[in-house]
Amino acid sequence: MRRKIVPFVDHEIGFRLLQKLIEFSDNDEIEIPLVVTTSTNGRSWWHGVEDVCRRSNIPLVIYGPSLNPSQLRLPVDWFFLLSWKHIIPTDMIAIPSKGVLNLHYSLLPEFRGVYPVNWAIIEGACKTGVTYHLVNEQIDCGIVLLQAETDVDPTDTARTLQLKLDDVAYDNFDLLMAKILPMDRIEVVDGIGSDAVAQGAAYYSRKKFNERCEIDVDASYCGTEFINLLRGLTFLEDSSNAFFYDRKTGKRIYISVQLKHE
């Protein structure tokens, strides 16, 4: 029986995993009624999926205020949230008959919330990874279906670690699909089962991240803490995350780092 899956895709890994899902559909294992993406898809540092959908004759809808909710009320088995930054409303969680699956870039329950790649470096983690889990009404707290880890190297910035995690998520996707395609619906009940993510784990908010971006020039940092902070706040070459204020002009001065082995 073919499973009907609606992918919600963004960023580079969304682009890559959508093509994986299309391979499954070409093999008659699944059906993709439509694809959901964001208004910024393909307009920033990652590839857009418009051409991919067009070539495979899959309808593409843009998630946002103009979206008609009825477009998503389809008889489907799964919603797949693949690098998805929007919180799915409760009534949408109930639409798929088998559940909503989310890809999160940490080994949950560690680094629940936003910017988990950055936080793994800032907090000095030696390892991190990806978690495919079911979505419930709590953020990043559903039952874990698959986890895979990778090392955080001393030369990693948020960008290089994100690219490594992209590969981990991609390389483990076939294993995930083998696990869930025959699966009946799992009732997501908080605290039930050893695979449930701990509700009490710390949540990393956007506000908390923004507060760490300002470098306090009057504070004392230990060397490792300061290097980890700069590595975790460096993404692209023109990153504008870490900053301090010029005392003469009051303007922000942005900092990023470049790292390489000897």
Side-chain angles (χ1 to χ4, degrees), residues 60-104:
L60 178 67
V61 301
I62 305 299
Y63 191 89
S66 61
L67 175 67
N68 184 343
S70 64
Q71 289 179 276
L72 300 180
R73 297 192 179 281
L74 305 170
V76 298
D77 295 288
W78 294 95
F79 285 167
F80 278 13
L81 312 183
L82 305 174
S83 191
W84 194 251
K85 52 181 172 277
H86 299 285
I87 296 175
I88 297 297
T90 302
D91 59 339
M92 282 181 58
I93 295 175
I95 292 175
S97 63
K98 298 191 180 299
V100 179
L101 177 141
N102 182 55
L103 168 60
H104 185 77

